[in-house]
Amino acid sequence: MVTKPAPAALGRRDLSTAPLLVAARGGRPSRVPVWFMRQAGRSLPEYRALRADTGMLQACMTPDLTCEITLQPVRRHGVDAAILFSDIVVPLYAAGVGVDIVPGTGPVVAKPVRTAADVAALPDLDAEQVAPVTDAIALLLRELGATPLIGFAGAPFTLASYMIEGGPSRNHERTKALMRAAPEVWHGLMDKLVGITTSFLQAQVQAGVDAVQLFDSWAGALSVRDYRQYVLPYSSRVLGALADAGVPRIHFGVGTGELLGSMAEAGADVIGVDWRIPLDDAARRAGGTRPVQGNLDPAVLFADPASLEAEVLRILDEGRRTPGHVFNLGHGVLPDTDPDVLTRLVELVHSQNP
Ligand code: 1CP
């Protein structure tokens, strides 16, 4: 069993009143915590400057660069959490799977996984293979003061889609075909990915992250029946392996309105929600006991200030009718977002009663 080391062991401060962690545990925070998925990245000129000569995966495997990029949005926006700068394919890359992140495209897998032999050839992940990531976490813990650090991983389904399709996919057609045509290959691949994802998250917890998020970004492409049969058992195993880790577990996907009850069954502490349904409705669908995270449409950041404020106040209102609310976008910050709009959004959320 892997548990988060005691603060003293990490030479660290007590985060027991950090708004993110209080809200994630269903308590009453001093203010509504707010952070943004993809808060580090192309919306920030200081990020573009740092990344100019460095590939994405190289940046993820260079601890001082990872640390600096992770800190940029915390300094600039005053968000209530840092999220480790990394990517869902980093553990695959670290384990030796042929994968790259191609600018303008996303993750591309050199040899897509389609057969039982392909699955058998996949490596496991040893914690020392992600030493650059855990070293970056160690650097961050010294810099972050009272701001919690969120670690993350891709969930087995979303990783499987990249591995089977060979890259980003709109319809996930090869993935959905393989589940049915070759269930033993599917289940073998998902089993492998449970191991890699769990090892990656456990390494981050052991290095001292304060919360974890499991990104099943593309799960919303599935019917609820398929989700329950082909995906839920595996996400449950990942989250179950972290049940006693001592850190809140957030579980997020896009377009998951019909899946929220099943996703909640997978066992996370907080359910991330996109913008398609109201937060209070989402919390009910997720069983009515768990805090929720979300759910401003990232495109609304391009609207006029009055429209943006109205949306934020509506979401905060709906959030007050849930067991707990962590303010976030419904998906990642879009690259062309004006970073000053994000800074003002943080101020607005913090100015409102929790
Ligand atoms: O600040 C943060 O939030 C940390 C940054 C982060 C995170 C959480 C990155 C950096 N990647 C991720 C996770 C990730 N990667 C997800 C889950 C979150 C989500 O749904 O957005 C997914 C699906 C990926 C896959 C991925 N990596 C894509 C999407 C491609 C597709 O299928 O449409 C892309 C474009 C990447 C590359 C990537 N990851 C991160 C950045 C900043 C970039 C762009 C790389 C570059 O600048 O060249």
Side-chain angles (χ1 to χ4, degrees):
M1 191 176 82
V2 171
T3 53
K4 181 175 162 60
L10 298 164
R12 281 210 304 146
R13 71 294 178 206
D14 176 15
L15 289 184
S16 57
T17 60
L20 174 86
L21 301 179
V22 174
R25 296 195 166 106
R28 291 184 56 82
S30 54
R31 64 188 190 202
V32 177
V34 48
W35 68 279
F36 306 116
M37 292 182 277
R38 298 275 176 115
Q39 62 191 18
R42 269 190 28 213
S43 68
L44 300 185
E46 59 269 34
Y47 168 84
R48 295 196 296 268
L50 265 189
R51 275 283 324 280
D53 304 314
T54 312
M56 176 66 194
L57 286 170
Q58 197 190 334
C60 294
M61 297 303 261
T62 308
D64 53 346
L65 203 49
T66 300
C67 175
E68 178 57 24
I69 293 174
T70 302
L71 291 171
Q72 286 176 342
V74 179
R75 288 193 200 109
R76 186 190 259 265
H77 303 309
V79 281
D80 291 288
I83 179 161
L84 181 69
F85 181 77
S86 190
D87 191 83
I88 58 169
V89 298
V90 162
L92 303 177
Y93 173 77
V97 175
V99 58
D100 196 8
I101 295 181
V102 177
T105 301
V108 173
V109 175
K111 194 175 174 304
V113 174
R114 307 271 165 82
T115 66
D118 296 337
V119 172
L122 290 173
D124 292 316
L125 177 70
D126 292 332
E128 60 267 29
Q129 292 172 309
V130 289
V133 175
T134 53
D135 289 351
I137 293 169
L139 295 176
L140 279 159
L141 296 182
R142 281 185 234 144
E143 300 285 334
L144 275 168
T147 306
L149 176 62
I150 301 172
F152 74 88
F157 170 74
T158 291
L159 287 176
S161 170
Y162 286 108
M163 296 186 82
I164 295 165
E165 306 288 341
S169 168
R170 180 183 303 234
N171 299 313
H172 309 277
E173 54 268 60
R174 289 189 177 86
T175 309
K176 291 180 179 183
L178 188 133
M179 286 173 179
R180 292 181 161 74
E184 69 297 342
V185 177
W186 173 259
H187 292 295
L189 174 59
M190 291 295 274
D191 197 54
K192 196 77 184 178
L193 290 171
V194 166
I196 292 175
T197 296
T198 302
S199 299
F200 188 45
L201 287 172
Q202 286 179 333
Q204 294 176 59
V205 168
Q206 226 146 19
V209 299
D210 304 296
V212 291
Q213 178 154 325
L214 187 65
F215 281 96
D216 212 352
S217 299
W218 312 136
L222 296 168
S223 70
V224 67
R225 183 180 286 107
D226 286 354
Y227 179 83
R228 297 188 68 84
Q229 180 170 352
Y230 295 108
V231 176
L232 176 58
Y234 301 101
S235 295
S236 301
R237 277 170 54 192
V238 174
L239 291 165
L242 293 157
D244 299 321
V247 300
R249 298 156 297 164
I250 309 167
H251 192 185
F252 167 79
V254 180
T256 56
E258 300 303 324
L259 303 182
L260 288 170
S262 301
M263 283 181 78
E265 270 180 54
D269 303 291
V270 178
I271 304 297
V273 184
D274 83 356
W275 61 90
R276 290 175 175 84
I277 65 170
L279 266 189
D280 47 348
D281 191 7
R284 270 193 301 277
R285 292 187 193 197
T289 57
R290 289 179 167 81
V292 288
Q293 174 174 283
N295 72 343
L296 181 71
D297 184 342
V300 171
L301 296 170
F302 293 77
D304 60 283
S307 304
L308 171 57
E309 178 169 338
E311 280 290 88
V312 171
L313 297 182
R314 174 185 62 76
I315 289 164
L316 287 169
D317 236 26
E318 288 162 2
R320 289 186 194 98
R321 299 197 287 270
T322 70
H325 181 202
V326 176
F327 196 100
N328 206 313
L329 305 179
H331 198 188
V333 174
L334 297 166
D336 292 333
T337 304
D338 176 353
D340 292 339
V341 173
L342 289 172
T343 306
R344 288 197 293 271
L345 171 52
V346 172
E347 288 165 3
L348 174 61
V349 172
H350 284 168
S351 72
Q352 302 298 305
N353 289 326

